[in-house]
Amino acid sequence: MVDPYRQMLVIGPGQHFDPARLPGDWYVASSGGKPAKFAAAQKDGILALRLDGDNNGAILGRRLNVPLLNMPFLRWGWYVERPATSPAPGRTGIKTGTGLNEPPVLLRVVVGFRDGIAQPVRKSNGAPRIDRALSLEWRADETGVRGAPGSIVIHAGLRDAGRWIIEAVDLSRLYAEAWPQSAAANAAIAFIAVGAGPARVPVTGYVAEVALSP
């Protein structure tokens, strides 16, 4: 049950969070098949989830069962380290394991949606079935490469790197803009995930306090 007067903390992490021993409603996915790199760590006095990404990309997510209009507001904080090396000029996309030419992404928050009545959260190792997803991205540069449907640029470039940035979005508004033919009233949030990459050079970032609120 969701208390309509309180926020829901989706990803903290907590003091004892261990990505190697995830609770049953969590999962990890990597586009390159390599082990994903996630760890709980302190950054500038804030306990956060550290994400290390490369040209494969990976996400860590938590399965949910929340009607979108019950908890439409998403808030989180993220921090990107300045990379040790600069990407080669003139390259605007990355060939991933899927063969798609994706824009380079430093960090992302992904929200998966399912149509109709939300199903019970099941304990398994994979992501839940979804009908569409929003990818809220901190892009590596400002090339303007078009991403997949539902890909939304929150930040671009490194001018905000090296400091914590707090974000807040209305998921119901973004959903309606991305899929005007689909009624937000019939959508349920099936998972929320955070990830790093795919990026042209290794990237280290941090995400903390990912929360939903009415």
Side-chain angles (χ1 to χ4, degrees), residues 64-82:
L64 298 173
N65 181 5
V66 181
L68 171 58
L69 296 188
N70 280 21
M71 288 273 179
F73 296 100
L74 181 68
R75 176 183 55 81
W76 73 94
W78 54 7
Y79 182 112
V80 167
E81 298 276 14
R82 293 188 177 276

Side-chain angles (χ1 to χ4, degrees), residues 82-167:
R82 293 188 177 276
T85 59
S86 299
R91 297 177 60 191
T92 57
I94 298 174
K95 286 290 185 181
T96 64
T98 61
L100 298 178
N101 193 37
E102 294 187 13
V105 173
L106 300 174
L107 295 179
R108 71 175 78 227
V109 177
V110 184
V111 185
F113 301 95
R114 185 173 47 246
D115 292 334
I117 300 174
Q119 300 297 314
V121 175
R122 300 183 184 278
K123 294 184 178 181
S124 65
N125 294 325
R129 180 188 64 81
I130 61 170
D131 295 294
R132 54 192 61 85
L134 288 172
S135 178
L136 311 175
E137 301 171 353
W138 188 329
R139 293 276 184 90
D141 50 42
E142 301 179 26
T143 57
V145 175
R146 186 178 182 86
S151 174
I152 297 173
V153 180
I154 304 295
H155 282 281
L158 295 171
R159 62 183 178 274
D160 291 322
R163 64 189 181 99
W164 279 102
I165 305 293
I166 306 302
E167 311 288 1

